[in-house]
Amino acid sequence: MGPANKGEIIEKLQKQILSLQGFRETAAQGVSTGLGPLEMAFPNHIFPTGAIHEFLSPAAEGAAATTGFMAGLLGSLVGQTGTCLWIGTRRTVFPPALKIFGIDPDQVIFIDLIREKDVLWTIEEALKCDALSVVVGELSGITFAESRRLQLAVEQSKVTGLMHCFNPLKINHTTAVARWKITSLASTMEEGMPGVGYPRWSVELLKIRNGKPGIWELEWSSDQFRNLDKPNPAVEIPFGRTA
């Protein structure tokens, strides 16, 4: 048996193991988000698309950092021709600024609602639309049952859902494939250049199904994510607590 055949057998066995653990590979999962070493934490080392991601922000400054980081992801997820639906009750995004992350403003459709319960219903319906690439939802939190409905929707449509939970009163167990916490880091000015430096984040992957949680420091510069340090694998810690 040649090395090539052994490699194929090992790859097939790895996929079977992931399948038994509940990981479902989809055709959309070939998208690279440019996260560098952070992508090694994901199953098959690929950012899970066609799934629900949960982002937790306990305060306003964390919410702003999370919005910026998600915009960086959107640039890769929507590509040149994709469309994103951004749904919430407190829009703070300045659409022309999305150009910094490689997104044309006309690729993002904002739906501004008044009642939170309408937000959740709209998100679920949007996730069923396979004409979309990404749906961003801004809510105060989601329950397990609500996340299950959202997950069932994306399993059919293959749309990627980024759920941003701002100042949640309670952190529930959900079916989200990943749970993130993003905080801002101080930027560094280039020598001899005025103004502010590039955006930087501490990216904490609190949980990732069939993957490895950890903490990374990233910067957005030259139209892409840039890793600032080596990954720091971490054991999952309940949100709001320290080890």
Side-chain angles (χ1 to χ4, degrees):
M1 182 183 297
N5 290 333
K6 288 183 179 179
E8 291 175 1
I9 291 173
I10 291 172
E11 184 179 355
K12 188 178 293 185
L13 288 172
Q14 288 174 334
K15 288 183 178 181
Q16 289 177 353
I17 291 171
L18 286 173
S19 177
L20 291 172
Q21 291 176 331
F23 176 76
R24 299 183 181 182
E25 189 171 19
T26 70
Q29 282 181 306
V31 177
S32 173
T33 50
L35 290 170
L38 196 158
E39 291 189 335
M40 299 298 290
F42 303 130
N44 293 337
H45 305 159
I46 299 174
F47 181 91
T49 57
I52 299 297
H53 293 254
E54 183 183 11
F55 292 82
L56 302 177
S57 296
E61 58 271 21
T66 301
T67 298
F69 178 76
M70 289 194 305
L73 292 177
L74 284 180
S76 299
L77 296 175
V78 301
Q80 297 295 317
T81 59
T83 303
C84 167
L85 220 58
W86 197 306
I87 305 164
T89 59
R90 55 172 78 88
R91 182 174 17 140
T92 57
V93 177
F94 181 56
L98 295 174
K99 192 70 176 177
I100 298 173
F101 300 99
I103 309 167
D104 289 326
D106 60 0
Q107 289 184 278
V108 181
I109 301 171
F110 291 94
I111 299 180
D112 302 325
L113 301 168
I114 298 175
R115 298 184 300 179
E116 177 111 349
K117 66 177 183 179
D118 293 333
V119 171
L120 186 63
W121 180 88
T122 307
I123 290 172
E124 184 176 354
E125 293 303 304
L127 288 171
K128 296 176 183 178
C129 178
D130 58 11
L132 299 172
S133 301
V134 185
V135 172
V136 176
E138 296 180 322
L139 334 102
S140 60
I142 52 176
T143 65
F144 179 85
E146 290 166 347
S147 71
R148 179 60 179 158
R149 293 205 307 270
L150 301 183
Q151 182 60 37
L152 289 173
V154 299
E155 286 178 3
Q156 295 296 320
S157 66
K158 312 307 179 191
V159 176
T160 302
L162 308 180
M163 302 298 107
H164 186 187
C165 300
F166 174 68
N167 195 22
L169 296 177
K170 181 181 179 182
I171 308 303
N172 299 306
H173 290 291
T174 69
T175 61
V177 69
R179 173 174 283 172
W180 306 72
K181 182 184 176 185
I182 314 297
T183 52
S184 61
L185 295 176
S187 60
T188 301
M189 301 256 290
E190 290 191 28
E191 187 175 354
M193 295 293 290
V196 296
Y198 296 111
R200 289 184 171 186
W201 306 280
S202 172
V203 179
E204 187 171 359
L205 198 53
L206 296 168
K207 75 167 187 177
I208 172 67
R209 191 183 305 160
N210 306 310
K212 298 178 181 179
I215 302 173
W216 293 261
E217 293 186 357
L218 300 178
E219 176 183 273
W220 183 266
S221 58
S222 301
D223 301 324
Q224 62 183 353
F225 288 111
R226 186 168 70 88
N227 191 65
L228 298 177
D229 62 356
K230 295 181 179 179
N232 175 25
V235 177
E236 182 177 347
I237 301 173
F239 181 70
R241 293 177 55 185
T242 57

